[in-house]
């Protein structure tokens, strides 16, 4: 009889849940598919992670932390930040999809600590950069952060009609457009 490894089972479940939530969102995710993909059971998922909403929170928090570590925020160089975010989402589309599902399916409520902390820190850094005159005051810090993040993430979330006519080989040009647009914005 094989020896059970709970940590290996947790890793498999988290990997399977990440794919499931990225593809189907919270409402569309099915724990039976997660269990099958993870070579586990629904009972084990619930024992380790609680209910489906709890599991999504764990998956999204891990994804957000990975994104924050990979895409360093720099209020002194917002165009480069936007370029790094563009690159990260192009290389890690599941991270962008999880973020979109989080925004769509959790528009209200307390939010997650990782999101609160990141937003608090970024908004404070933007306010300080505006106070120092390094960043334009044409927009509030929240408006500015929203615009920058939206521009950086927009190319991989185009509506199908526009995306079908866009050449994927234009990735470098698109990235340059995002960086230049943010430079003009700030």
């Amino acid at each position: 009889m094989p020896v059970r490894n709970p940590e290996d089972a947790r890793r498999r479940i988290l990997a399977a849940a990440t794919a499931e939530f990225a593809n189907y969102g919270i409402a569309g995710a099915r724990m039976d598919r997660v269990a099958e993909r993870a070579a586990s059971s629904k009972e084990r998922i619930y024992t380790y992670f609680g209910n489906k909403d709890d599991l999504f929170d764990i998956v999204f928090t891990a994804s957000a932390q990975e994104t924050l570590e990979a895409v360093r925020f720099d209020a002194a160089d917002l165009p480069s930040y936007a370029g790094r975010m563009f690159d990260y989402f192009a290389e890690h589309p599941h991270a962008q999809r999880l973020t979109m599902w989080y925004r769509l399916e959790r528009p209200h409520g307390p939010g997650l600590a990782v999101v609160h902390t990141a937003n608090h820190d970024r908004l404070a850094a933007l306010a300080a950069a505006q106070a120092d005159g390094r960043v334009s005051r044409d927009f509030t810090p929240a408006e500015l952060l929203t615009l920058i993040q939206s521009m950086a993430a927009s190319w991989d979330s185009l509506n199908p009609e526009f995306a079908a006519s866009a050449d994927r080989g234009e990735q470098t040009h698109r990235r340059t457009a995002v960086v230049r647009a943010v430079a003009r914005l700030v």
Side-chain angles (χ1 to χ4, degrees), residues 17-18 20-29 52-65 67-68 89 93-119 122 149:
T18 298
E20 181 74 10
F21 287 125
N23 288 330
Y24 301 103
I26 302 168
K52 183 167 68 167
D53 285 326
D54 293 339
L55 180 56
F56 178 82
D57 290 349
I58 292 165
V59 165
F60 181 71
T61 296
S63 177
Q65 287 172 328
T67 302
L68 291 167
F89 283 148
H94 71 279
Q96 183 175 8
R97 287 194 304 269
L98 287 169
T99 299
M100 293 180 77
W101 284 118
Y102 174 75
R103 290 174 181 164
L104 287 170
E105 296 191 71
R106 296 270 177 87
H108 308 292
L112 297 174
V114 67
V115 177
H116 283 295
T117 301
N119 286 340
R122 290 173 180 188
Q149 290 179 338

Side-chain angles (χ1 to χ4, degrees), residues 20-101:
E20 181 74 10
F21 287 125
N23 288 330
Y24 301 103
I26 302 168
R30 298 290 174 256
M31 293 300 96
D32 55 335
R33 286 191 300 244
V34 173
E36 182 179 344
R37 179 180 259 170
S40 189
S41 68
K42 287 173 38 173
E43 293 77 15
R44 182 164 291 153
I45 293 169
Y46 295 128
T47 298
Y48 289 160
F49 300 104
N51 63 35
K52 183 167 68 167
D53 285 326
D54 293 339
L55 180 56
F56 178 82
D57 290 349
I58 292 165
V59 165
F60 181 71
T61 296
S63 177
Q65 287 172 328
E66 289 172 15
T67 302
L68 291 167
E69 290 169 11
V71 184
R72 187 181 50 80
F73 182 78
D74 183 0
D77 191 2
L78 294 168
S80 292
Y81 164 70
R84 288 190 301 275
M85 180 177 284
F86 178 94
D87 294 339
Y88 188 81
F89 283 148
E91 294 168 13
H92 302 89
H94 71 279
Q96 183 175 8
R97 287 194 304 269
L98 287 169
T99 299
M100 293 180 77
W101 284 118

